[in-house]
Amino acid sequence: MAAKPIIKVVAICGSLRKASSNRGLLRSAIELSESIEGMSIEYVDISPLPMLNTDLEVDGKYPPVVEDFRRKILQSDCFLFASPEYNYSVTAPLKNALDWASRPPNVWANKPAAIVSSGGGFGGGRSQYHLRQIGVFLDLHFINKPEFVVNAFQPPPKFNNVGDLIDLATKLRLKDVLLSLKAFTLRLQQQEDSGA
């Protein structure tokens, strides 16, 4: 009996802060993925990436840290973005990572993705809308449902003081996102394999 394929998910957080609730969502997603057969999530840190500067591209090569990042993106099956909202948009570090991996050849292209976010007010929802808009040009395919935003400051407490997700209902919602991402990824892979 052939082994079932493992969906390789790269998780990227738009916040660089260690105690970020958005990073906490990704830590929780990694834990939750252990109970989902056929899914593996790797957190990829974007903080080492230099700011996009095409002067750093020499003889068709990118700086080693960028090459490593691009390789991880290329080798993944899909993406899980934790996107906090800064000024109604995505963060500068996340936009920078998106830009580096979109340099020719675009390694984001034709892959599924999901977005989760946490914050005040709308819970980062406006950053999700902007990320989806960016994804159109990058040829990313975002799941539409379930949407996942968390108002981190409304009771009951959702996160502890180091950013870990502690609310069971929110964890269950997050698991639903992972299951949807897995199903969508498998569906797109099957369509690609069948030539559809």
Side-chain angles (χ1 to χ4, degrees):
M1 188 169 191
K4 289 189 178 181
I6 301 291
I7 301 296
K8 293 180 286 187
V9 183
V10 161
I12 296 173
C13 185
S15 175
L16 305 183
R17 196 168 56 84
K18 285 182 176 57
S20 161
S21 58
N22 284 278
R23 268 186 136 173
L25 291 174
L26 293 183
R27 285 192 300 272
S28 188
I30 290 167
E31 290 173 17
L32 290 166
S33 72
E34 293 170 5
S35 68
I36 300 174
E37 185 179 354
M39 177 177 264
S40 171
I41 301 178
E42 176 189 4
Y43 173 75
V44 174
D45 185 7
I46 61 174
S47 65
L49 295 174
M51 289 302 291
L52 181 69
N53 177 352
T54 55
D55 289 343
L56 299 175
E57 299 174 26
V58 179
D59 298 325
K61 300 257 191 243
Y62 300 100
V65 68
V66 174
E67 289 283 359
D68 184 51
F69 174 70
R70 289 172 54 85
R71 187 171 24 268
K72 288 179 181 179
I73 298 305
L74 184 62
Q75 293 171 348
S76 70
D77 295 308
C78 59
F79 311 105
L80 177 62
F81 293 100
S83 183
E85 181 180 320
Y86 288 12
N87 299 319
Y88 285 21
S89 187
V90 298
T91 65
L94 179 55
K95 182 64 168 70
N96 187 55
L98 292 165
D99 290 344
W100 270 121
S102 72
R103 298 290 299 149
N106 172 16
V107 293
W108 300 110
N110 206 30
K111 292 189 180 182
I115 315 169
V116 296
S117 57
S118 167
F122 195 38
R126 287 176 289 242
S127 74
Q128 291 194 21
Y129 295 146
H130 197 190
L131 181 52
R132 285 174 180 275
Q133 184 180 27
I134 294 165
V136 170
F137 184 79
L138 300 181
D139 200 21
L140 281 168
H141 305 291
F142 288 102
I143 64 169
N144 291 320
K145 300 286 183 197
E147 292 182 304
F148 186 98
V149 294
V150 178
N151 186 316
F153 309 108
Q154 283 185 337
K158 308 294 188 295
F159 300 91
N160 63 18
N161 61 351
V162 294
D164 293 324
L165 182 61
I166 58 172
D167 182 63
L168 181 58
T170 305
K171 285 185 180 189
L172 293 174
R173 289 180 48 227
L174 181 57
K175 187 171 183 178
D176 286 343
V177 170
L178 299 178
L179 292 169
S180 180
L181 179 60
K182 178 186 173 188
F184 188 51
T185 302
L186 289 171
R187 190 165 70 237
L188 289 181
Q189 288 176 342
Q190 288 169 351
Q191 287 175 353
E192 191 173 286
D193 290 344
S194 70

